[in-house]
């Protein structure tokens, strides 16, 4: 078969998902062998390594406002791979959470099971060097519901708070936080108590709530909460409390192709159809008119130009107006995924994606071993 040559422009055009007024077109991937007559799109490792970086797999970090949040792009992969990363981030990267609660005294108005549920959903964080050494705890049996507990698989936290009257409170004071000591029980009141070999391994480091201001209960004088909590290692597929991310999502990079000049008042109106920062206004210069013959008679007028498509939400607002329908084309780049990841605290935001890559590689190795056994 004679292979028909294809340009990079052809490939880029095929990657655009068309976003129309009421429909979406060109959704499915088509860069696989046999789809385009006379073209070979079979994947080859040597060819992949020789490709120009602009044609290869690319990862770019856009924003990282703090250690737990990150926005980045992964370009050059299929939707199935991007979704695999997302699902691994949500459900398969292990973290720690409270699994068992031992309540010795609870005289607050909050029932025991509600307090247990609240502390179980509080995100925890600890030193990663211990987390890597921590073993998985076996499930309990009918005779021993909690299962075998050791300093290898369990971290002990305690919550012991008693509310007392503040004798130094001002007369007529109505604020309970000033009238009483420990009127509110927060996540920061949870303390870590290393056991056995944990004392030397942690060496002063602690396991603590990621968000210390989570309210657990409200107390009044005479009321008390005294309980132990056992943290174990788990994954989000077992329970959402073990998920290491508060959110992990992706979207495709939007594209805005202005095919005919939009000038004057129409340009102002066109800009309002998009979120701030997506569309800008620029004066048409003689140099612009020389490059684009469509601007020949528009020198000096304000025209709409695309500034930052990443800010666009693809609302299709501009397609509601007849004056813009034939002048602009909206779309998304099929292989450009913009990820937004927010960690719950055990890992930094950028570490989470690397962990998902490690797990996906591990899954691939398991699959290769399974296939090798079938061949043998």
């Amino acid at each position: 078969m004679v292979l028909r040559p294809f340009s990079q422009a052809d490939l880029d055009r095929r990657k655009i998902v068309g976003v129309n007024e009421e429909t979406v077109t060109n959704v499915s991937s088509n860069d696989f062998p046999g789809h385009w007559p006379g073209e070979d799109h079979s994947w080859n490792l040597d060819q992949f390594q020789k490709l120009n970086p602009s044609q290869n797999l690319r990862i770019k970090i856009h924003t990282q406002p703090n250690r737990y949040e990150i926005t980045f792009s992964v370009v050059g992969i299929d939707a199935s791979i991007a979704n695999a990363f997302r699902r691994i981030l949500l459900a398969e990267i292990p973290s720690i959470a409270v699994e068992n609660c031992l309540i010795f005294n609870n005289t607050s108005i909050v029932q025991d099971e509600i307090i247990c549920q609240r502390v179980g959903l509080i995100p925890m964080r600890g030193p990663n060097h211990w987390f890597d050494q921590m073993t998985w705890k076996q499930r309990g049996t009918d005779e021993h519901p909690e299962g075998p507990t050791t300093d290898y698989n369990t971290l002990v936290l305690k919550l012991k708070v008693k509310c007392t009257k503040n004798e130094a409170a001002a007369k007529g004071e109505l604020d309970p936080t000033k009238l009483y000591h420990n009127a509110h029980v927060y996540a920061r009141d949870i303390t870590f108590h290393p056991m056995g070999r944990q004392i030397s391994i942690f060496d002063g480091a602690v396991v603590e709530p990621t968000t210390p201001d989570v309210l657990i209960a409200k107390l009044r004088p005479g009321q008390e909460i005294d309980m132990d909590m056992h943290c174990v290692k788990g994954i989000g597929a077992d329970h959402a409390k073990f998920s290491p991310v508060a959110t992990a999502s992706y979207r495709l990079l939007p594209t805005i192709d202005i095919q005919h000049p939009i000038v004057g008042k129409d340009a102002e109106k066109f800009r309002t159809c998009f979120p701030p920062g997506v569309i800008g206004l620029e004066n048409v210069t003689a140099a612009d008119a020389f490059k684009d013959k469509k601007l020949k008679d528009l020198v000096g007028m304000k025209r709409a130009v695309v500034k930052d498509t990443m800010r666009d939400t693809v609302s299709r607002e501009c397609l509601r107006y007849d004056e813009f329908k034939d002048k602009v084309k909206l779309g998304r780049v099929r292989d450009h995924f913009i990820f937004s990841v927010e960690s719950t605290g055990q890992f930094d935001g950028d570490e989470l994606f690397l962990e998902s890559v490690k797990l996906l590689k591990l899954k691939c190795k398991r699959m290769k071993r399974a296939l090798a056994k079938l061949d043998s």
Side-chain angles (χ1 to χ4, degrees), residues 18 24 38 68 115 117 167 195 199 224 235 249 255 267 300 307 357:
V24 180
Y68 298 126
I115 287 184
Q117 191 229 18
E167 301 296 341
M195 302 291 178
I199 298 174
E224 179 182 3
I235 58 175
S249 62
T255 62
K307 290 291 188 181
V357 174

Side-chain angles (χ1 to χ4, degrees), residues 224-296:
E224 179 182 3
I225 296 176
D226 184 7
M227 61 187 295
D228 284 1
M229 294 152 283
H230 291 177
C231 278
V232 300
K233 194 175 183 179
I235 58 175
D238 292 333
H239 195 287
K241 67 184 178 184
F242 290 113
S243 180
V245 295
T247 180
S249 62
Y250 64 78
R251 60 190 178 98
L252 297 179
L253 177 70
T255 62
I256 303 170
D257 183 12
I258 300 177
Q259 299 184 318
H260 299 281
I262 302 175
V263 297
K265 291 184 178 179
D266 282 351
E268 293 276 2
K269 183 177 180 179
F270 185 74
R271 181 171 64 171
T272 62
C273 294
F274 297 87
V278 177
I279 301 296
L281 299 179
E282 293 182 358
N283 290 327
V284 179
T285 63
D288 295 331
F290 180 78
K291 294 177 183 177
D292 188 352
K293 301 302 181 183
K294 296 177 182 177
L295 302 175
K296 181 180 179 181

Side-chain angles (χ1 to χ4, degrees), residues 96-148:
I96 55 174
V98 174
E99 178 71 4
N100 297 299
C101 295
L102 307 174
I103 296 182
F104 306 114
N105 189 16
N106 175 27
T107 54
S108 71
I109 63 170
V110 185
Q111 295 91 337
D112 292 355
E113 58 270 24
I114 301 300
I115 287 184
C116 293
Q117 191 229 18
R118 285 186 178 180
V119 297
L121 295 177
I122 295 175
M124 298 291 177
R125 64 183 176 192
N128 284 347
H129 71 275
W130 156 253
F131 183 73
D132 294 335
Q133 301 177 46
M134 194 173 180
T135 59
W136 298 89
K137 187 175 181 181
Q138 298 178 4
R139 294 185 181 276
T141 62
D142 292 339
E143 295 181 357
H144 303 283
E146 190 177 343

Side-chain angles (χ1 to χ4, degrees), residues 195-211:
M195 302 291 178
R197 72 185 188 114
Q198 297 172 3
I199 298 174
S200 59
I201 292 177
F202 277 84
D203 192 24
V206 297
V207 174
E208 59 185 359
T210 304
T211 308

